[in-house]
Amino acid sequence: MSNKRNAAIDDAAEEQSADQGMVRMFKDDFDAMQQEADQLASELASAVSESEKQRTRADEMTAHAQRLQAEFDNYRKRTNETNKRVRQDGAVEVLEKILPVLDAIGQAKTMIKDESTLSGLDIIDRQLGELLSSFNVEQIEALNMPFDPNVHNAVMEEDVPDEQKGTVVKVYQQGYKIGDRVLRHAVVIVGK
C-alpha cells in the first residue's frame, strides 16, 4: 500500500510538475504576448501622435491656402478696379478734349447761313454725339431744371418770376457726365 501511495504521490508530484511546466509555458507565452501588445500599443500611440501632427499640419496648410486664395482674389479685384479706373480716366481725358470742339461746332451752326456748310456741320455734330454716346457720355439736363451745384456751375443770377426761382434759366455751356462722373459742369444762369 505504501508503494501505491508512493506511486500516487509520485504521480501527483509529476502531474503537479507538469502543471507547473504548463503554467510556466503559458506564463512565458502570456509575457511574450504582453510585450508584443505593449510594443503595438506604443507604436499605435506613436502613429496616433504622428497622425495628429499631420492633421494639424494639413489644417494649417489648408488655412494658409485659403488665405492665399482670398488674398489673390482681393488682388485680382483691386487690379481689375485699377485697370477699369485707368481706362476710364484715359477715356475721360480724351473726351474732355473733344467737348470744346463740340461747343465750337454748336456755335458755328448758329452763325452759318449756308445750307450745305450747315448740313456738313450737322453730320460732324451727329458723329461726335455718337462717339460720346458710345462712351456712355450724356448731356447734363440744365435748362428749366432746379439748380444743382453737383452738376451746374452758376455764373450769374437773374431776376425771374417766382415759379422760376432756383431754376436754370439760361445755359452758357452744356455740361456732360459719364455715368455718375461729371466731365464738365453745365455753366448756367440761375433765377433769383
Side-chain angles (χ1 to χ4, degrees), residues 75-94 178 181 183:
Y75 169 77
R76 187 174 35 82
K77 288 175 186 173
R78 280 192 312 271
T79 302
N80 287 342
E81 285 298 316
T82 300
N83 289 341
K84 182 180 176 183
R85 191 173 48 251
V86 166
R87 281 192 304 274
Q88 188 178 32
D89 288 348
V92 164
E93 190 174 326
V94 170
I178 183 168
R181 183 174 178 175
L183 291 175

Side-chain angles (χ1 to χ4, degrees), residues 147-160:
F147 175 73
D148 180 355
N150 295 315
V151 292
H152 302 137
N153 181 17
V155 291
M156 285 179 58
E157 288 184 323
E158 187 175 285
D159 289 326
V160 294

Side-chain angles (χ1 to χ4, degrees), residues 45-80:
S46 176
V48 166
S49 173
E50 184 63 26
S51 171
E52 287 299 320
K53 286 179 188 175
Q54 293 301 325
R55 182 177 294 130
T56 301
R57 185 168 183 259
D59 290 345
E60 289 171 358
M61 296 301 266
T62 300
H64 182 68
Q66 289 171 338
R67 281 192 304 274
L68 286 175
Q69 181 67 41
E71 287 175 13
F72 179 73
D73 288 345
N74 290 337
Y75 169 77
R76 187 174 35 82
K77 288 175 186 173
R78 280 192 312 271
T79 302
N80 287 342

Side-chain angles (χ1 to χ4, degrees), residues 93-123:
E93 190 174 326
V94 170
L95 294 170
E96 285 174 338
K97 292 181 187 218
I98 291 174
L99 296 180
V101 174
L102 199 59
D103 293 338
I105 290 171
Q107 289 173 351
K109 284 170 59 175
T110 62
M111 294 185 245
I112 294 176
K113 303 297 179 208
D114 180 49
E115 287 298 319
S116 63
T117 305
L118 194 55
S119 174
L121 280 177
D122 282 339
I123 292 171

